[in-house]
Amino acid sequence: APTTSSSAAPVRPVQSRQMRGWDDAAAVIADAVETFGPFDGVLGFSQGASAAALALALVPSLRDTVRFAVLFSGFEPMDPAATAALHAARITARSMHVHGHADRMVSRERMEALARSFARPEFFFHEGGHGVPLSKEFRDALRSFALDTAGDAATTTQLATSVTDECRHRASPRVHPPLSKPRHSLAPTRFLFVNGVGPCVGISTEAVRESFGEYGDVDRVDVFDPSMARCVVTMRRVEDAIAAQAATHETCRPDLGDRRLWVRFSSDPDSTDGEPESAVKQEETWCAATRDSATLGVPGVTLIENFVTEEEEREMLACVDSDERWQRLAKRRVLHYGYAFDYGTRDARDETSPMPAFVAGLLRRASRCSAPGASESATCDQLTVNEYARGVGIAPHVDTHSAFGPTILSVSLAGRAVMEFRLPGEGGEREPRERRAIAMPPRSLLVLHGEARYRWLHYIPHRKRDAIVGEDECETREERRVSFTFRRRREGACGCEWPEACDSRGGAAQRLKDREGRGLAS
């Protein structure tokens, strides 16, 4: 987000000299690439074009997997840290930079400065201003750029010679268009999708083979697109692939040019349907959900089924569906009452529309429940409504300690979902120490208090079906789920028992906020 000056007048993004929040944004984008990627390209307009370029510069897993970038009226940021990040990254993806001769917002010089961060920029100029051209000429040019490989002809020709020479000495590597795009597999497989290396960045498949051979026998290395820095390494055994993935993911290896690797299990590169080796194996890696909070094993979680009636459900949904203030996030829609939640600061300080009429009675009912912390429900003054399409979830998080009180209430309407709880690993370990999950049926209330609210990460997995404890078949989610999350804003510092997770006392949440405040220079 661009900063504003000390005066009341806002600073236009093109004039801003400081940009903040990129550490957190990069983490969110990296998570999206891991969950939903790989992606074919990125697009952006104006400051969004600059943001798209920064995303490519700051997120190696995105930079090394996309084929192209299309940037409309983009400009090089005036923030020195942002500019340095762009200059330091060698963005090899093909880029199309679109600019209007009558653009009075972004000069051609600023646009071309941004283009210099890309190894192979292409340009399209039109007679319009600060906008997206709609002419047939542009549509044809865009279609050719995005779908054809003509723009990669020179690179492909150069690479073909080196690939051919290499194959004369060793027949196992193959260079061919993919039968289907390799897909990430949640279950371990013999196949490793490796982003960050390939012939286009001077790393031969032989070098990749030798590097991964440290962890076991390598059957072959496949390069599907010679213009992209990515490949699939096929290990002889699944056990060797597991060891190699654990040792190489998010590392910089000297034998591979010190390039940062992003390594995930992949589907079989010879598969014609692009599916992982075994869907059943994927489900086995999920955390099966219990239907009862008493057996969940997370202190402070209480599930109350049928908390609202079917008639109340219809009334609540009709109320929010008629509200015109919905905001669109990346994968879901949100709506705020009482106070607007700020996704940058993770706080809620700005007043917005008052609570709907049904809220007071609902909170009084919740306050009479026997759940720990439920007695404080009547004082909740902030409501966030989330609408999830089937298959959409939300990333693991702990609601900011300094922003909200000790109890959080969540009502699920229209559809079911599973909430997973994760206890963070010790000493910076990526893997959680414990995982627990609970099924939330429609019209249920979930209360989080104490340790569950302050210490455990909670999230909704991104998937269309869920595994349930004791049941052979997975449970399919409905097409839509709407959650109503009630919280009470906090005044003053948090005094909870878990300082390692508390932003009031320099815990993990505070480190996130500090990075947001320092911007890219952190």
Side-chain angles (χ1 to χ4, degrees):
T3 61
T4 58
S5 63
S6 58
S7 64
V11 175
R12 290 185 179 276
V14 72
Q15 300 169 331
S16 175
R17 296 184 179 277
Q18 184 182 12
M19 303 182 76
R20 300 182 301 174
W22 278 104
D23 275 351
D24 292 348
V28 171
I29 295 169
D31 179 69
V33 172
E34 181 171 343
T35 304
F36 303 108
F39 300 108
D40 289 306
V42 297
L43 295 88
F45 171 73
S46 193
Q47 64 263 39
S50 301
L54 275 171
L56 291 170
L58 295 172
V59 184
S61 60
L62 180 69
R63 179 177 67 244
D64 295 332
T65 56
V66 298
R67 294 176 43 244
F68 62 83
V70 180
L71 307 179
F72 300 90
S73 298
F75 53 88
E76 185 178 71
M78 298 177 70
D79 184 330
T83 303
L86 285 169
H87 291 176
R90 176 172 173 78
I91 305 175
T92 58
R94 294 170 54 226
S95 60
M96 172 184 277
H97 303 264
V98 184
H99 191 258
H101 293 305
D103 192 335
R104 297 184 179 180
M105 187 76 68
V106 176
S107 68
R108 177 167 174 167
E109 290 73 22
R110 294 282 301 278
M111 180 275 296
E112 291 177 340
L114 179 65
R116 285 194 288 272
S117 297
F118 291 80
R120 294 177 288 163
E122 300 178 25
F123 300 89
F124 184 93
F125 295 98
H126 58 93
E127 298 303 319
H130 192 66
V132 177
L134 302 177
S135 66
K136 183 179 185 302
E137 179 187 8
F138 171 70
R139 295 198 304 271
D140 290 344
L142 179 61
R143 184 181 300 109
S144 175
F145 174 82
L147 299 180
D148 296 343
T149 58
D152 293 323
T155 301
T156 303
T157 300
Q158 295 171 1
L159 291 172
T161 302
S162 61
V163 170
T164 301
D165 289 342
E166 183 179 10
C167 289
R168 288 195 186 104
H169 296 91
R170 182 173 41 83
S172 55
R174 299 173 301 156
V175 179
H176 56 77
L179 297 172
S180 62
K181 181 187 296 183
R183 296 175 55 178
H184 299 312
S185 172
L186 295 177
T189 68
R190 294 190 299 120
F191 315 106
L192 297 176
F193 192 31
V194 183
N195 295 324
V197 293
C200 69
V201 291
I203 307 298
S204 68
T205 54
E206 181 60 41
V208 175
R209 170 189 281 268
E210 291 180 359
S211 182
F212 279 79
E214 177 181 338
Y215 307 99
D217 292 334
V218 177
D219 279 351
R220 68 180 197 243
V221 178
D222 291 301
V223 178
F224 293 103
D225 184 347
S227 68
M228 299 302 299
R230 60 187 183 187
C231 59
V232 174
V233 176
T234 300
M235 305 295 291
R236 184 71 53 82
R237 303 187 311 152
V238 174
E239 294 79 2
D240 296 338
I242 293 173
Q245 192 276 335
T248 60
H249 182 53
E250 292 190 330
T251 64
C252 298
R253 297 181 62 84
D255 56 346
L256 295 177
D258 282 322
R259 293 184 59 82
R260 188 171 183 82
L261 305 184
W262 188 81
V263 184
R264 278 289 182 250
F265 295 108
S266 167
S267 59
D268 185 343
D270 290 329
S271 172
T272 57
D273 59 8
E275 290 295 328
E277 281 189 298
S278 169
V280 174
K281 286 185 179 180
Q282 286 204 23
E283 294 170 8
E284 289 175 351
T285 68
W286 296 348
C287 182
T290 180
R291 297 189 186 276
D292 181 4
S293 53
T295 60
L296 177 64
V298 179
V301 176
T302 305
L303 177 70
I304 302 172
E305 296 190 30
N306 297 312
F307 178 74
V308 299
T309 65
E310 292 186 9
E311 181 179 356
E312 288 174 326
E313 179 183 40
R314 287 192 293 269
E315 292 175 354
M316 293 170 67
L317 291 174
C319 175
V320 297
D321 285 343
S322 64
D323 198 316
E324 299 179 351
R325 299 177 302 110
W326 284 95
Q327 297 173 266
R328 170 67 65 180
L329 300 183
K331 294 288 182 179
R332 67 186 194 276
R333 292 199 306 163
V334 298
L335 189 60
H336 305 294
Y337 293 97
Y339 293 85
F341 183 76
D342 187 322
Y343 290 92
T345 64
R346 298 179 176 82
D347 206 340
R349 294 297 170 189
D350 296 331
E351 292 189 22
T352 186
S353 294
M355 294 282 200
F358 63 79
V359 168
L362 205 67
L363 293 180
R364 281 196 300 270
R365 185 188 310 168
S367 67
R368 295 193 292 268
C369 295
S370 59
S375 60
E376 302 177 17
S377 303
T379 63
C380 289
D381 57 3
Q382 196 273 333
L383 165 62
T384 294
V385 183
N386 285 277
E387 180 190 59
Y388 301 91
R390 182 184 173 205
V392 174
I394 192 169
H397 68 284
V398 173
D399 290 46
T400 317
H401 289 207
S402 63
F404 302 108
T407 300
I408 297 172
L409 302 95
S410 180
V411 176
S412 295
L413 300 183
R416 73 197 70 221
V418 158
M419 179 171 286
E420 183 172 319
F421 295 86
R422 294 183 173 186
L423 191 60
E426 296 179 341
E429 288 291 327
R430 291 175 56 86
E431 293 300 318
R433 275 182 283 171
E434 294 185 49
R435 296 170 63 197
R436 302 280 190 272
I438 190 166
M440 301 181 295
R443 299 185 299 282
S444 65
L445 169 67
L446 190 71
V447 182
L448 307 184
H449 181 73
E451 183 175 340
R453 180 266 183 268
Y454 286 125
R455 190 183 185 199
W456 289 69
L457 300 170
H458 63 273
Y459 88 112
I460 308 293
H462 298 270
R463 58 185 183 233
K464 296 183 178 181
R465 63 188 189 278
D466 298 295
I468 307 298
V469 172
E471 300 186 15
D472 294 333
E473 298 294 329
C474 286
E475 197 169 73
T476 300
R477 298 184 189 176
E478 287 76 10
E479 292 298 323
R480 181 195 190 206
R481 173 178 172 267
V482 182
S483 69
F484 291 69
T485 302
F486 299 91
R487 298 174 285 203
R488 176 171 59 84
R489 294 183 310 119
R490 181 191 299 279
E491 298 295 339
C494 172
C496 70
E497 302 175 26
W498 299 276
E500 73 280 0
C502 184
D503 60 298
S504 289
R505 287 167 289 174
Q510 181 60 49
R511 291 193 291 274
L512 286 173
K513 292 173 70 175
D514 288 345
R515 290 206 306 271
E516 195 276 338
R518 292 196 301 269
L520 285 171
S522 62

